[in-house]
Amino acid sequence: MNRISALVTPLLPSSCSVPTRRRYPGRANRYTKRLNLKPLTSRIVLLTRRRQLDQIVEEVEAAKKRYGRLNTIVMNSVLEACVHCGDVDLALRLFDEMAEPGGCGVDSITYATILKGLGKARRIDEAFQMMESIEKGTALGNPKLSSALVYGLLDALINAGDLRRANGLLARYGTLLLEQGGPSVLIYNLLMKGYINSGSPQAAVVLLDEMLRLGLEPDRPTYNTLIHACIKCSDLDAAMKFLKEMKEKAEEYYDDSLRPDVITYTTLVKGFGDAKDLTSLQEVYLEMKLCDSLFIDRTAFTAVVDALLKCGSTSGALCVFGEILKRSGDDVELRPKPHLYMSMMRAFAVQGDYGMVRNLYLRLWPDSSGRISKAVQQEADNLLMEAALNAGQLDEALGILTSIVRRWKAIPWTTSGGMAAVRLEALLGFSKSILRPHILSKVIPGEPIESIMIPFEATRPLLGTLQLKNVVMRFFNEQVVPIVDDWGSCIGLLHREDCNNLDASLVSMMRSPPPCVSTTTSIGRVVDLVLEKKHKMVIVIYCCGNGYSSKAVGAFTRAQLYRLFEPEQKLLWWM
């Protein structure tokens, strides 16, 4: 991946500047807590990487109550978190708070962050309006229009693949960017990246000829972008030619800044992995290791392992994985992410190497770096079951499936773990099934739901204007009750777990609108709806002509569905 930073910002001070005060013994300085906000800024940066925006907002609000007004440095980091997490509306609200009288104020970094967020959100008109206000000098804080602001918006547009707007931005502010004399290599690097993101990598290679005609010499980011474009075009030979050209120019001009870096080799590794060219992949990896000035980071190691797995070389991937673990003992930054463990587990689960998958499963929590999401934990459990099944250990696989059902309460059938569970159920038969499938032999799934529905009056609906304290005993016996308005129309369902305020009206706590089906809906469709959406009650409405009447005529509950199930003994006898 091409790592180009189009926006260069000055270093920020670690704390706000306040007058020096003489301290007397026994006298507390009420401004002391406001002097060092660097830990809060570091905390915001850490949460930004984890995309925990809600936690950031909560901690910032607590800091405001404790310290009062925060400085611009802290609020700029909050704006960056909003942009990184995709919440531009919140960023704009914070920007208004900063710019209003009594706020901490805004600076060029604030505007650069907002412009980047507007570009990522495709709100280009607002971004151009802000640029025009800066150009006219009417923007709050009186920031100066600089190439950094233009490059920031340009980079956001290109990352979004909006080349038309990017070219418009260059046409509008090209004079400002050319003040240093002549076209900039950075502009061409950004345009190349834009063509790649928009699905036209061939056009990125064509831009090289234009650069050379203008007398611009490609730099390392240019070559990295060109190699990326060649990989996208599946032209690996051209990518290797650019790699050779980089090394030759670095030797000719004695310029180490032109030598291939870890990004160059990582891009090539991914390309050869996608092409399943194991020999070329091994040659590139060997060249990486023999380069003394090259530090192979975690991203590069992960790309090598993924590429080897794509080429079918599980033994090679295991060797590189072991090298990562060995090096991570001296450098914690090399500790593999959960993604790498999952890639290894997928490969060995398909082969049925249950022992290896189990070892990776056990080391995932203590040895990996970063947050292990719920989805990763579920997939890890499923891969462990799949590995046991492919290894022929049915009892072990059954035990793992039992723990999965007990822990996660559900298993998606469309995933590889779901397919493994189906295979396991088929191999074991219904006699050992932990899922206990049932057959609705008492009804025909194609019949309309009105044939088995409960009359709506039998559900004893409650008026929405009633207070909970007047009917609270009703919810000790029933999990869900329909709520009606003054005209008797069902307007929602009130669940037992939502009853949290005795003095509140029922309509304020109900879930609206209620799940509804027509009287002609098939029983099978309603059963699927109850099971998939986990509804406790579905309201049945009479269908009249082209529309539905506003009055409910019946209901179908989850408890009613359970009563339709055949007992397990009768099901096994039927089988």
Side-chain angles (χ1 to χ4, degrees), residues 16 19 31 66 80 98 140 221 263 311 360 471 524 543:
C16 59
Y31 293 97
R66 182 178 181 183
E80 181 64 33
M98 295 169 63
L140 297 174
I263 301 175
C311 294
L360 292 169
V471 291
C543 181

Side-chain angles (χ1 to χ4, degrees), residues 133-440:
S133 65
I134 296 174
E135 185 179 9
K136 295 177 180 178
T138 58
L140 297 174
N142 295 322
K144 293 184 178 180
L145 183 63
S146 62
S147 58
L149 293 176
V150 178
Y151 278 131
L153 180 57
L154 180 64
D155 187 47
L157 291 173
I158 286 176
N159 286 330
D162 194 344
L163 285 178
R164 184 178 64 86
R165 300 272 191 168
N167 287 318
L169 181 67
L170 289 175
R172 176 73 179 274
Y173 299 102
T175 305
L176 175 66
L177 298 177
L178 298 178
E179 285 181 352
Q180 303 298 327
S184 171
V185 176
L186 177 58
I187 294 178
Y188 282 95
N189 292 344
L190 291 174
L191 289 176
M192 288 179 182
K193 185 170 66 171
Y195 281 118
I196 295 174
N197 293 340
S198 61
S200 303
Q202 301 88 347
V205 181
V206 175
L207 280 179
L208 176 63
D209 297 332
E210 183 177 340
M211 288 183 60
L212 297 176
R213 285 196 305 269
L214 294 174
L216 297 176
E217 288 295 332
D219 56 6
R220 180 191 289 163
T222 306
Y223 280 112
N224 287 343
T225 308
L226 290 170
I227 291 175
H228 187 203
C230 294
I231 296 298
K232 289 290 185 180
C233 297
S234 301
D235 191 353
L236 298 178
D237 293 335
M240 293 302 295
K241 288 180 181 179
F242 283 124
L243 176 66
K244 182 180 179 181
E245 185 177 334
M246 290 180 69
K247 293 186 288 186
E248 290 176 351
K249 284 191 174 183
E251 294 292 338
E252 180 181 355
Y253 300 121
Y254 299 99
D255 188 358
D256 290 338
S257 63
L258 286 176
R259 295 186 183 278
D261 60 358
V262 67
I263 301 175
T264 312
Y265 287 109
T266 302
T267 306
L268 288 170
V269 163
K270 293 179 179 179
F272 287 121
D274 294 335
K276 295 182 172 54
D277 189 347
L278 180 59
T279 303
S280 300
L281 172 61
Q282 292 173 338
E283 292 176 355
V284 172
Y285 179 56
L286 180 61
E287 184 175 333
M288 292 174 65
K289 297 188 65 177
L290 294 178
C291 185
D292 296 332
S293 60
L294 183 68
F295 174 74
I296 306 177
D297 59 9
R298 176 168 54 198
T299 303
F301 271 124
T302 303
V304 172
V305 173
D306 286 337
L308 288 170
L309 291 176
K310 289 180 180 179
C311 294
S313 178
T314 53
S315 58
L318 191 60
C319 291
V320 177
F321 184 76
E323 183 178 356
I324 299 174
L325 295 179
K326 183 178 179 180
R327 292 194 181 189
S328 63
D330 299 327
D331 187 358
V332 294
E333 295 295 328
L334 289 178
R335 292 182 62 182
K337 291 280 190 178
H339 157 77
L340 190 56
Y341 278 90
M342 301 308 298
S343 299
M344 298 288 292
M345 291 176 65
R346 293 187 196 104
F348 286 104
V350 173
Q351 297 180 359
D353 192 342
Y354 176 68
M356 181 60 67
V357 175
R358 181 171 177 80
N359 289 334
L360 292 169
Y361 178 86
L362 295 175
R363 303 311 306 173
L364 173 63
W365 277 264
D367 291 346
S368 63
S369 174
R371 176 175 172 267
I372 303 177
S373 63
K374 180 179 177 181
V376 171
Q377 297 178 38
Q378 289 178 328
E379 186 180 3
D381 291 342
N382 293 339
L383 289 173
L384 188 63
M385 175 187 63
E386 183 180 354
L389 179 61
N390 291 336
Q393 302 182 25
L394 300 184
D395 292 336
E396 186 73 19
L398 180 60
I400 299 172
L401 178 59
T402 304
S403 64
I404 291 175
V405 174
R406 185 184 305 113
R407 180 182 183 186
W408 302 113
K409 309 302 181 185
I411 179 170
W413 299 115
T414 55
T415 62
S416 59
M419 297 305 298
V422 172
R423 289 168 51 203
L424 182 62
E425 288 286 305
L427 291 173
L428 294 176
F430 288 128
S431 59
K432 293 185 178 181
S433 173
I434 65 169
L435 302 179
R436 296 193 303 274
H438 293 75
I439 293 179
L440 301 176

